[in-house]
């Protein structure tokens, strides 16, 4: 009898995003539940008193306390690392916990951070109100003046931070160019500078900053990864040493994720590719048709050829293997914030709520939400205008969505 060939062990890293998100590393036959197990526990029984000693010596199979680690969280982390193409991922309580744990693990008092200026509101306030109290300065570089980075970097620069596409104007930062400038500056100051990218808006399906040399990915899993507006979580992903540093920081700052949120996230990841693909399609369609409405002054969407950063978006979101331009669209209506409010109040399918990335379409007015209480100068610097409506496009029927927006825009006359 011919010897039966042993099949080659498949490498999950070479598989599609959906396959990685659904199966993780579990591609060998084994008995057990198909759905992931929820370890809803704060602490763990020791088989004997040697267990905590084994834990302290680094045995990864001994669990001691859920602020440090939890098997459900660990499963979500290993899938996220596989999806993002990195060594390690850390799942924490929220996007802000990811951002603060990761940044604070690399900087120390006296250091400087260089950042692009248009940021998620929480990040912007963290940089403006919290970091200076810890002796950390943030300097901003315009995405159109990245060549200034080498002259801005000093021996105190420890981190560079970027977010793209930005909230709410959907401007695109050229990641490859930014990283090139940072690495050039690094050689002059002879110091490693850690580059962080907040990838929440694009998600790893549409854009992977790691491919362009970014060190650490940050993402609010509350948004597209979670995708159903029912959980809060955040991800730090990158090389083992950096993620370990963020884990230590998280352990003592306390931003651990609840096991149930990790369980919900594991369920969400199974449909991540399907959802984001549909959101890409719906967003592109909606952006195109809304350009034609008489009460719309401007439509901002990186996938439209009229968008000022369309070519950069194409390079880093599509030509690099990404699937599209994301699910976020911003429109500016004629008539300022009062008109924007009237449109939002007239919508019946789209929901007036903060946040983004869920299956349901959400709208928000930036000057009433993410950019509330900012001075006129701050608003101008962020390119935010009172008549803007930010749309997080969901997975509803596209004709229902388009009709809903047309009907609501018609109330302006
Ligand atoms: C929502 C968001 C965050 C913060 O995430 P939370 O989960 O709310 O803490 C950070 N960055 C971006 C771009 C976001 O949209």
């Amino acid at each position: 009898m011919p010897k039966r060939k042993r099949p080659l062990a498949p490498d999950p890293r070479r598989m599609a995003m959906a396959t990685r998100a659904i199966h993780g590393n579990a591609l060998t036959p084994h008995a057990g539940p198909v759905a992931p197990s929820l370890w809803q526990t704060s602490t763990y029984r020791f088989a004997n008193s040697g267990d905590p000693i084994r834990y302290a010596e680094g045995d990864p199979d001994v669990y001691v306390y859920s602020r440090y680690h939890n098997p459900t969280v660990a499963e979500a982390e290993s899938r996220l690392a596989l999806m993002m193409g990195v060594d390690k991922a850390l799942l924490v309580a929220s996007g802000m916990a990811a951002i603060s744990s990761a940044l604070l693990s690399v900087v120390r008092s006296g250091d400087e951070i260089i950042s692009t200026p248009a940021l998620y509101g929480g990040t912007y306030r963290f940089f403006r109100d919290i970091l200076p109290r810890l002796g950390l300065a943030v300097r901003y570089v315009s995405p159109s003046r990245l060549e200034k980075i080498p002259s801005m970097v000093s021996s105190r620069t420890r981190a560079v931070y970027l977010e793209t596409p930005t909230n709410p104007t959907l401007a695109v930062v050229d990641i490859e160019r930014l990283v090139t400038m940072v690495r050039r500056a690094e050689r002059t100051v002879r110091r490693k500078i850690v580059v962080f990218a907040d990838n929440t808006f694009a998600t790893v399906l549409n854009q992977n900053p790691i491919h362009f040399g970014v060190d650490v990915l940050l993402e609010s899993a509350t948004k597209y990864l979670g995708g159903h507006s029912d959980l809060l979580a955040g991800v730090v992903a990158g090389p083992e040493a950096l993620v370990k540093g963020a884990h230590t920081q998280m352990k003592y700052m306390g931003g651990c994720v609840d096991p149930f949120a990790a369980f919900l996230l594991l369920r969400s990841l199974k449909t991540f590719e399907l959802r984001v693909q549909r959101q890409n399609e719906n967003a592109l369609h909606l952006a195109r048709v809304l350009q034609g409405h008489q009460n719309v002054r401007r439509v901002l969407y990186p996938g439209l050829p009229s968008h000022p950063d369309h070519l950069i978006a194409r390079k880093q979101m599509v030509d690099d293997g990404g699937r599209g331009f994301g699910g976020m669209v911003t429109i500016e209506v004629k008539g300022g914030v009062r008109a924007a409010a009237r449109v939002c109040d007239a919508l019946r399918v789209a929901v007036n709520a903060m946040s983004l990335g869920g299956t349901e379409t959400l709208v928000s007015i930036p000057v009433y939400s993410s950019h509330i209480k900012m001075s006129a100068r701050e608003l101008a610097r962020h390119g935010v205008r009172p008549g803007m409506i930010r749309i997080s496009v969901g997975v509803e029927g596209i004709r229902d969505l388009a009709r809903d927006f047309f009907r609501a825009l018609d109330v302006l006359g």
Side-chain angles (χ1 to χ4, degrees):
M1 240 173 58
K3 230 169 108 186
R4 210 193 295 163
K5 254 210 201 137
R6 221 212 246 146
L8 278 176
D11 182 354
R13 287 171 305 179
R14 307 174 87 88
M15 295 189 169
M17 182 67 71
T19 318
R20 282 177 274 160
I22 293 165
H23 296 290
N25 286 298
L27 294 177
T28 43
H30 62 277
V34 169
S37 304
L38 169 56
W39 291 61
Q40 188 69 25
T41 187
S42 60
T43 190
Y44 304 84
R45 294 169 72 114
F46 297 139
N48 59 56
S49 298
D51 273 358
I53 299 169
R54 279 188 283 281
Y55 165 72
E57 285 167 352
D59 184 339
D61 295 326
V62 182
Y63 281 88
V64 300
Y65 190 55
S66 279
R67 176 156 45 76
Y68 302 179
H69 51 184
N70 173 285
T72 308
V73 174
E75 180 56 37
E77 289 172 337
S78 91
R79 283 194 209 184
L80 290 164
L82 200 53
M83 290 167 67
M84 295 178 178
V86 293
D87 289 350
K88 281 268 173 227
L90 169 72
L91 188 66
V92 294
S94 66
M96 286 313 300
I99 293 165
S100 57
S101 309
L103 263 180
L104 292 177
S105 69
V106 303
V107 292
R108 61 188 63 188
S109 182
D111 281 347
E112 272 179 10
I113 298 164
I114 295 175
S115 176
T116 53
L119 298 169
Y120 171 71
T123 310
Y124 179 71
R125 290 181 180 89
F126 175 63
F127 286 5
R128 187 190 66 186
D129 303 338
I130 309 290
L131 291 185
R133 298 197 338 232
L134 306 176
L136 293 155
V138 183
R139 301 177 66 194
Y140 292 99
V141 61
S142 161
S144 59
R145 305 294 303 277
L146 295 175
E147 70 283 356
K148 285 174 72 180
I149 290 177
S151 65
M152 291 172 74
V153 166
S154 73
S155 57
R156 298 162 66 159
T157 311
R158 176 64 83 191
V160 172
Y161 190 95
L162 74 101
E163 186 180 316
T164 183
T166 66
N167 181 40
T169 59
L170 303 168
V172 179
V173 177
D174 188 335
I175 305 171
E176 189 173 32
R177 188 164 153 72
L178 179 143
V179 173
T180 304
M181 292 298 152
V182 174
R183 300 303 175 222
R184 188 175 295 168
E186 249 175 0
R187 286 195 290 274
T188 319
V189 293
R190 294 163 182 269
R191 186 179 197 194
K192 169 72 189 161
I193 296 170
V194 184
V195 182
F196 295 88
D198 181 334
N199 208 35
T200 303
F201 270 39
T203 81
V204 69
L205 190 69
N206 294 323
Q207 164 180 292
N208 193 343
I210 298 281
H211 296 168
F212 300 106
V214 163
D215 296 296
V216 179
L217 284 186
L218 303 166
E219 187 160 341
S220 169
T222 313
K223 314 296 170 51
Y224 289 98
L225 290 170
H228 296 72
S229 309
D230 58 4
L231 68 87
L232 281 147
V235 186
V236 180
E240 177 149 17
L242 286 167
V243 174
K244 211 169 160 207
H247 179 249
T248 304
Q249 190 76 31
M250 177 282 285
K251 239 161 88 178
Y252 304 123
M253 303 281 281
C256 54
V257 68
D258 188 80
F260 186 55
F263 174 80
L264 286 176
L265 180 63
L266 280 163
R267 164 179 258 238
S268 297
L269 293 182
K270 294 173 192 265
T271 54
F272 169 74
E273 182 171 343
L274 284 173
R275 287 185 282 107
V276 176
Q277 184 78 37
R278 173 71 170 252
Q279 282 162 315
N280 285 343
E281 289 162 13
N282 277 0
L284 181 60
H285 184 90
L286 197 63
R288 281 190 182 137
V289 299
L290 289 178
Q291 284 186 121
H293 198 283
Q294 55 174 3
N295 294 327
V296 173
R297 192 187 298 280
R298 257 197 318 171
V299 177
L300 295 167
Y301 184 65
L304 292 178
S306 61
H307 189 284
D309 302 326
H310 177 64
L311 290 179
I312 306 170
R314 183 162 283 287
K315 173 182 89 168
Q316 67 194 26
M317 300 181 80
V318 174
D319 295 346
D320 181 52
R323 218 63 75 69
F325 299 95
M328 301 300 295
V329 177
T330 294
I331 60 173
E332 185 187 350
V333 297
K334 295 177 184 166
V337 69
R338 290 175 61 122
R342 281 179 67 200
V343 171
C344 289
D345 291 343
L347 290 163
R348 290 296 173 266
V349 177
V351 178
N352 191 342
M354 292 211 209
S355 196
L356 59 118
T359 50
E360 52 287 311
T361 297
L362 302 182
V363 292
S364 63
I365 299 174
V367 294
Y368 282 173
S369 53
S370 55
H371 292 70
I372 199 162
K373 286 191 179 163
M374 283 196 188
S375 67
R377 231 181 109 223
E378 281 173 303
L379 290 180
R381 192 162 71 218
H382 294 190
V384 176
R385 309 208 7 119
M388 280 182 173
I389 300 173
R390 190 190 77 175
I391 309 165
S392 165
V393 182
V395 302
E396 298 97 334
I398 185 59
R399 286 176 55 181
D400 302 328
L401 277 181
R403 279 202 195 115
D404 196 37
F405 277 93
F406 266 72
R407 224 189 17 74
L409 284 159
D410 284 346
V411 301
L412 300 179

